[in-house]
Amino acid sequence: MTVNYQTINTLKVSKKLLNFVNDELLEGLNISPDKFWSGFDKVVHELAPKNLELLNVREDLQKKINGWHQKRKDKETDINEY
């Protein structure tokens, strides 16, 4: 499946999402597509460092969970220990 993207400010947005937001989501709201995409672009970039930090925390937690299971792969799981 090929996804077509369009550049909106500094974002690459799928045409399907772009059309949904512009034609359906914003319908009846007092927000222009330009204002929405400008604000969304700003928020995405402001939150990118925090999002990266949270993804790193999640990756670390997942490695610990995987390690716990690998060490106990031949044992019955003790739910209290888990």
Side-chain angles (χ1 to χ4, degrees):
M1 178 171 94
T2 304
V3 178
N4 295 316
Y5 291 93
Q6 185 169 337
T7 301
I8 305 293
N9 299 315
T10 63
L11 301 172
K12 296 235 184 249
V13 180
S14 77
K15 287 204 175 205
K16 191 172 185 177
L17 177 62
L18 179 68
N19 291 336
F20 167 73
V21 170
N22 290 351
D23 300 337
E24 295 180 45
L25 182 70
L26 298 178
E27 186 178 331
L29 300 177
N30 194 21
I31 303 170
S32 71
D34 288 339
K35 184 173 182 170
F36 172 85
W37 290 110
S38 175
F40 185 68
D41 183 40
K42 181 182 176 191
V43 168
V44 166
H45 289 89
E46 283 178 3
L47 295 178
K50 183 64 175 177
N51 190 41
L52 182 58
E53 177 187 330
L54 292 171
L55 287 170
N56 289 333
V57 168
R58 187 221 175 270
E59 184 177 353
D60 184 53
L61 289 171
Q62 189 63 58
K63 285 178 184 177
K64 289 177 182 177
I65 292 168
N66 292 348
W68 188 90
H69 284 285
Q70 288 169 352
K71 287 179 188 175
R72 293 160 181 79
K73 65 182 176 183
D74 297 326
K75 299 178 183 174
E76 189 172 320
T77 301
D78 177 352
I79 196 67
N80 292 323
E81 182 185 9
Y82 185 70

